[in-house]
Amino acid sequence: MTEKATETKVDEAQSAALELAKYSDERRSDGLYAIADAIEASHEAILEANEVDVAEAETMLEAGEYSQALVDRLKLTPTKLESIAEMVRSVAEQDDPLGKTQTARKLDDGLELYEQTVPIGVVGTIFESRPDALVQIAALALKSGNAVILKGGSEASESNRVLYEIIREATADAPDGWAQLIEARADVDTILEMDDAIDLVMPRGSSEFVRYIQDNTSIPVLGHTEGVCHVYVDSEADLEMATEVAYDAKVQYPAVCNAVETLLVHEDVAETFLPEAVDRYEAADVELRGDERTREIVDVESATEEDWSTEYGDLILSIRVVNSLEAALDHITTYGSKHTESILTEDGDRASTFMRSLDSASVFHNASTRFSDGYRFGLGAEVGISTGKIHARGPVGLEGLTTYQYYLEGDGQCVGTYAGADGKEYLHEDFDGTWTPGSRSE
Amino acid sequence: MTEKATETKVDEAQSAALELAKYSDERRSDGLYAIADAIEASHEAILEANEVDVAEAETMLEAGEYSQALVDRLKLTPTKLESIAEMVRSVAEQDDPLGKTQTARKLDDGLELYEQTVPIGVVGTIFESRPDALVQIAALALKSGNAVILKGGSEASESNRVLYEIIREATADAPDGWAQLIEARADVDTILEMDDAIDLVMPRGSSEFVRYIQDNTSIPVLGHTEGVCHVYVDSEADLEMATEVAYDAKVQYPAVCNAVETLLVHEDVAETFLPEAVDRYEAADVELRGDERTREIVDVESATEEDWSTEYGDLILSIRVVNSLEAALDHITTYGSKHTESILTEDGDRASTFMRSLDSASVFHNASTRFSDGYRFGLGAEVGISTGKIHARGPVGLEGLTTYQYYLEGDGQCVGTYAGADGKEYLHEDFDGTWTPGSRSE
């Protein structure tokens, strides 16, 4: 059997999207429960395929091509499969993101406008080597009524193929073609050109990769390139709290995008704060790099200009002493990536100035940057984190996979009636109402 | 004096944006009132500059390069200036789109998350030759706290320069550089490359032009390419109403994107409906083009395949007889541009099927497609119409120039406290609350 062309797959997804948009929440969620059950019933087949991927990856590891971390992320176990099935069920249990009336407005008697949440349509996703990513993304797409193109890492190709088949068979009740798997790297470029058929691209991976996607498509892209996050210890900080929060922001999980990369310290508190903070960090094997003023107080390596805009994703932290709140803001504006910043201060006015002066997606007061996460924010499952400013930003939940449509219910109104000096006036009265088929009264 | 480089102007706008974001609604609106007053006080200078543009355009008209319509759009009069000033005041009077708390959620006691509306930042706009467009766009940007790059049509360059100077002087209280005028066509390409500094591009103009912008930037683009709108006269339509609405949708103002281009008629009513509808259209000098089945009933020109996807923007209408609601949906899905479609039917179920099966921005039941407009929808001033599905769609008001930021107010919380099997549980309780500086209780 010849493999279908990528264009055909995308066309199928486009037709399926229009059908899927009409499915009730119950039908979409039933599909998710069926996926969870099928994963549980297919442990053997999944683990067998995964072993092939892992064996291949271990050969690459020996050849020095892959890292141990990659092999670890790739490897599935019965316990991991159990938690994947649980994740799918938890997506099913989320509130329906579709069919919500966001605004109901009477334009005139008998002419009612409804702003309704609807799926985006066809979402193209390109993701890393963890095979659980495929299941998570497919689950979120189905719950939000979107057709989805899935392109996983080639390292996970055997696992992805088996998981995809399980999902496809479990959702036989969903419109045929709602989920499509593509495998070749070249197919990514085909997808990026199909701007008439694909409504949104969501890449996950390195900054370079996300930037490559942004630069090579006119389809809107939702993703994040870098997470250069800051913690600013203000002159009015509670220093004991500051030490705890600054430590948590780096050490609790340094590999992720919401971990702090640069610590800014007000000069008034630097001499008191830095020695103890540095002790804590060093006990956790954090490599520290400071500017000149920092190094006058504590014995750390020297930070270069490049450090200020680097996302380490590791147990490395750069430190700078600043002489004012404004200098801290300048630093963040110059070097930051608009992801997450936190001010530690007991002065509400200074906190407010900090929060209102930055255009980062998340700005915190007296809390660790690590809270910047869909689960912690209570958004349910997380689609990803966006550092763009358009559509959805920060941690993105199911809502980020929806858009809206305007429904207008009339009884024969013409614009001519309302035009010109003698035209009828519009009412424009918002009311509490929900669009349901044929909802307009009369 | 040397003209500043475009890059410098954009950098200035970026700094100004961060300042402007902190301005109160009152301060932003005061700027708008000052602009309106200054326009009223400067009729003479504006009209003088405009005469230069108009004289130049008339030369081009004689040379056959410009149309009379372009010259008409270009020409300002005291009455027109009066209505421009009024428009600016009406923007000032709109509700503040900024600083609204969209969600307030207790993650834990003493840890409160607020989703706040904020400006997008720097918006790049490229617009047609009407000089009132410059004032309208600048007014909407100021009200929504955005810095703006203004690139108008070269035909209006003298008028635009004077209007820009008036705006700049009237808003001396606003952060320096919040509005920037660029004039050379080459500067557009510079702007399209500045994806680190410009957050959104809003082009207005021909489909080809908007598509050029989309294809040549990785900045998100808000705009619309085509408006191929449909009216479908269903088998269950009230034919008298259908005749009125279908007529209004084409004839009331044919040059605009929400005018109907293709009329689809169910075969059960075609013989009754078409003769009368055609009489009405012909009396208004509408050129009609029909498919074969239409031409069996009425005497009109023959429609080609190309007609179905053409936005005429003129008194031309294509007509097709379809044998079912599904065939109408297929036609719209195949040839439409996801702008606005309307079904005329007395059957609520069929209307609901129509509305839920299409992914156009606006889908109407028993109303003219011409209602698809920010003013008529009650959005206040209209930034533009978007046929994309991301961020804002359909008629876009001030809200489309905003995004959101997450503010988190804590008292020293660390993620470590909530991590692992023994970790504290999150509360995730939404509450009615508004973020104001230092708003967290305690």
Side-chain angles (χ1 to χ4, degrees), chain A residues 252 258 370-378, chain B residues 107 415 426 428:
Chain A
Q252 203 265 335
N258 57 20
R370 294 271 298 111
F371 283 106
S372 191
D373 165 277
Y375 167 67
R376 287 169 207 135
F377 274 11
Chain B
L107 307 190
V415 161
Y426 289 98
H428 290 158

Side-chain angles (χ1 to χ4, degrees), chain A residues 262-302:
Chain A
T262 300
L263 185 64
L264 301 167
V265 184
H266 192 285
E267 59 180 9
D268 288 359
V269 296
E271 281 182 47
T272 322
F273 172 77
L274 279 176
E276 191 174 338
V278 164
D279 278 352
R280 288 285 306 271
Y281 283 127
E282 286 182 341
D285 284 329
V286 179
E287 182 187 328
L288 300 170
R289 304 176 186 174
D291 74 330
E292 211 171 304
R293 297 182 70 187
T294 301
R295 297 176 74 221
E296 283 167 12
I297 302 168
V298 287
D299 178 27
V300 299
E301 290 297 304
S302 174

Side-chain angles (χ1 to χ4, degrees), chain B residues 36-48:
Chain B
D37 292 347
I39 288 173
E40 285 177 341
S42 317
H43 275 205
E44 206 172 320
I46 301 170
L47 294 173
E48 214 167 88

Side-chain angles (χ1 to χ4, degrees), chain A residues 80-375:
Chain A
K80 221 165 171 179
L81 285 177
E82 203 44 60
S83 78
I84 292 174
E86 271 321 298
M87 177 272 295
V88 174
R89 289 197 184 96
S90 81
V91 172
E93 280 152 22
Q94 297 267 319
D95 288 343
D96 185 10
L98 305 180
K100 287 186 191 159
T101 300
Q102 294 183 317
T103 308
R105 182 174 299 140
K106 227 182 247 287
L107 306 191
D108 192 359
D109 285 322
L111 187 64
E112 296 174 359
L113 183 73
Y114 299 86
E115 189 188 309
Q116 296 289 111
T117 61
V118 293
I120 288 176
V122 179
V123 178
T125 62
I126 309 158
F127 47 93
E128 67 278 22
S129 53
R130 286 162 46 209
D132 46 332
L134 182 141
V135 183
Q136 189 189 23
I137 291 167
L140 291 165
L142 183 56
K143 179 72 183 185
S144 57
N146 288 284
V148 65
I149 316 290
L150 302 155
K151 166 73 177 81
S154 58
E155 311 84 9
S157 59
E158 295 295 325
S159 318
N160 282 341
R161 213 172 292 149
V162 168
L163 286 167
Y164 170 70
E165 278 307 320
I166 288 169
I167 290 171
R168 217 177 52 80
E169 281 168 29
T171 57
D173 174 55
D176 207 31
W178 76 272
Q180 299 280 352
L181 182 71
I182 63 167
E183 306 198 46
R185 180 68 180 71
D187 293 338
V188 171
D189 291 320
T190 308
I191 281 186
L192 297 183
E193 279 166 23
M194 296 187 73
D195 59 342
D196 279 345
I198 298 177
D199 299 298
L200 182 68
V201 173
M202 303 200 328
R204 308 211 300 206
S206 68
S207 305
E208 297 72 39
F209 176 68
V210 174
R211 187 153 282 276
Y212 170 82
I213 300 289
Q214 286 170 337
D215 288 346
N216 286 281
T217 187
S218 57
I219 306 170
V221 178
L222 196 70
H224 72 105
T225 46
E226 272 143 358
V228 181
C229 303
H230 298 81
V231 168
Y232 166 59
V233 180
D234 184 47
S235 52
E236 309 304 317
D238 170 333
L239 295 186
E240 202 176 318
M241 175 203 293
T243 309
E244 293 301 326
V245 171
Y247 180 84
D248 180 88
K250 180 80 244 179
V251 178
Q252 203 265 335
Y253 195 14
V256 287
C257 59
N258 57 20
V260 65
E261 310 296 357
T262 300
L263 185 64
L264 301 167
V265 184
H266 192 285
E267 59 180 9
D268 288 359
V269 296
E271 281 182 47
T272 322
F273 172 77
L274 279 176
E276 191 174 338
V278 164
D279 278 352
R280 288 285 306 271
Y281 283 127
E282 286 182 341
D285 284 329
V286 179
E287 182 187 328
L288 300 170
R289 304 176 186 174
D291 74 330
E292 211 171 304
R293 297 182 70 187
T294 301
R295 297 176 74 221
E296 283 167 12
I297 302 168
V298 287
D299 178 27
V300 299
E301 290 297 304
S302 174
T304 64
E305 178 73 12
E306 207 192 330
D307 277 300
W308 308 130
S309 50
T310 299
E311 179 176 14
Y312 303 115
D314 206 342
L315 282 175
I316 308 172
L317 180 76
S318 57
I319 308 177
R320 185 173 199 169
V321 174
V322 293
N323 50 24
S324 64
L325 170 58
E326 288 63 39
L329 292 169
D330 275 351
H331 179 101
I332 296 171
T333 303
T334 306
Y335 299 105
S337 63
K338 303 188 202 294
H339 190 300
T340 302
E341 335 294 348
S342 181
I343 181 173
L344 304 174
T345 189
E346 297 302 294
D347 183 322
D349 287 344
R350 292 173 71 86
S352 156
T353 299
F354 182 86
M355 296 165 97
R356 300 193 62 211
S357 299
L358 294 170
D359 61 348
S360 305
S362 298
V363 198
F364 298 170
H365 174 205
N366 289 344
S368 168
T369 54
R370 294 271 298 111
F371 283 106
S372 191
D373 165 277
Y375 167 67

